[in-house]
Amino acid sequence: MASDATDFSALPGGARAALEAVLMVLDVPASATDLAAGLNLTVETVEQLLLELQREYDGYTVKAPDMETASDAGFTSSPRGFELRNVAGGWRIYSRAEFADIVGAFVLEGQTARLTQAALETLAVIAYRQPVSRARVSAIRGVNVDSVVRTLTQRGLVEDSGTDPESGAILYRTTSYFLERMGIGSVAELPQISPHLPGLDGIDEFYDAGRM
């Protein structure tokens, strides 16, 4: 944690650059409150600086507030290959979505860490029907998903969400890490797919018929 005596004016770029340096090394999103505590700045100052950085990365002209701990002058910039997002309750720097194919080809080529098609399908069912039991996921996919759900749990993408009050089956839901990887703030931001899936009017009856 930064010392109370930290003089940001003596650092290149001041408090804004110090905040940027911290954001560059984050493995998981951090809230404005946590960032403020770590840098010994007020939450209001950090929130303003975060918005400045976000707009700078997007290529906008920004006019900073007239405060000692914020940046001093307006500035302009070109859009960067990365962006600052507020995801899953915290802030983190991500590569820009437009470069996903390029980054994916560079980082993932030749690696085996990708999810299988079966895992992706199972994850999609859990994401859209959560909280949901393995039995219901199996009924939708038509195959046993026990091993796939274990894999998704180990990857940190789904988690235990209690038990079904009627059957006692374990229910599963997606995690904050899933939201982070998807680049969204909540499952409500997932694309609406019901218009593309015929026969959903009777899906609950289908679930009940296949319940174990």
Side-chain angles (χ1 to χ4, degrees), residues 2 5 21 24 28 31 44 52 75 122 135 141 151 167 173 184 188 210:
M24 291 294 293
V28 295
S31 68
E44 292 76 12
E52 284 188 23
F75 54 86
T122 300
R141 294 202 57 235
T151 297
S167 68
R173 64 186 176 193
I184 58 178

Side-chain angles (χ1 to χ4, degrees), residues 126-207:
I126 294 174
Y128 281 96
R129 297 300 304 181
Q130 62 185 304
V132 63
S133 68
R134 285 179 295 182
R136 290 194 171 191
V137 178
S138 294
I140 294 173
R141 294 202 57 235
V143 295
N144 186 289
V145 298
D146 289 359
S147 62
V148 177
V149 171
R150 282 196 296 271
T151 297
L152 294 174
T153 302
Q154 292 168 355
R155 294 282 187 94
L157 295 168
V158 302
E159 63 185 0
D160 186 329
S161 181
T163 58
D164 186 311
E166 296 182 13
S167 68
I170 297 175
L171 300 176
Y172 291 89
R173 64 186 176 193
T174 53
T175 64
S176 59
Y177 178 64
F178 167 80
L179 298 178
E180 177 191 341
R181 300 298 296 175
M182 290 292 293
I184 58 178
S186 73
V187 292
E189 297 179 33
L190 287 170
Q192 296 299 309
I193 63 171
S194 56
H196 307 288
L197 298 178
L200 285 185
D201 291 342
I203 194 68
D204 288 333
E205 289 78 5
F206 176 73
Y207 283 151

Side-chain angles (χ1 to χ4, degrees), residues 11-182:
L11 297 173
R16 183 164 63 90
L19 174 60
E20 185 175 39
V22 171
L23 290 168
M24 291 294 293
V25 299
L26 290 179
D27 291 327
V28 295
S31 68
T33 300
D34 290 339
L35 292 168
L39 291 167
N40 286 327
L41 294 170
T42 66
V43 174
E44 292 76 12
T45 296
V46 167
E47 288 177 341
Q48 179 61 46
L49 293 173
L50 286 167
L51 292 177
E52 284 188 23
L53 289 171
Q54 185 179 53
R55 289 176 61 82
E56 177 187 2
Y57 300 159
D58 289 343
Y60 290 99
T61 299
V62 180
K63 182 66 176 178
D66 184 15
M67 60 176 68
E68 181 180 354
T69 52
S71 54
D72 298 321
F75 54 86
T76 60
S77 68
S78 299
R80 308 289 182 84
F82 52 87
E83 60 187 343
L84 180 60
R85 299 186 210 160
N86 187 355
V87 172
W91 293 83
R92 188 184 175 195
I93 292 174
Y94 296 84
S95 59
R96 198 170 291 278
E98 290 83 351
F99 301 104
D101 291 343
I102 296 173
V103 174
F106 179 80
V107 175
L108 298 178
E109 186 175 359
Q111 297 188 15
T112 60
R114 299 177 183 176
L115 291 175
T116 64
Q117 185 66 30
L120 289 172
E121 292 175 2
T122 300
L123 181 58
V125 173
I126 294 174
Y128 281 96
R129 297 300 304 181
Q130 62 185 304
V132 63
S133 68
R134 285 179 295 182
R136 290 194 171 191
V137 178
S138 294
I140 294 173
R141 294 202 57 235
V143 295
N144 186 289
V145 298
D146 289 359
S147 62
V148 177
V149 171
R150 282 196 296 271
T151 297
L152 294 174
T153 302
Q154 292 168 355
R155 294 282 187 94
L157 295 168
V158 302
E159 63 185 0
D160 186 329
S161 181
T163 58
D164 186 311
E166 296 182 13
S167 68
I170 297 175
L171 300 176
Y172 291 89
R173 64 186 176 193
T174 53
T175 64
S176 59
Y177 178 64
F178 167 80
L179 298 178
E180 177 191 341
R181 300 298 296 175
M182 290 292 293

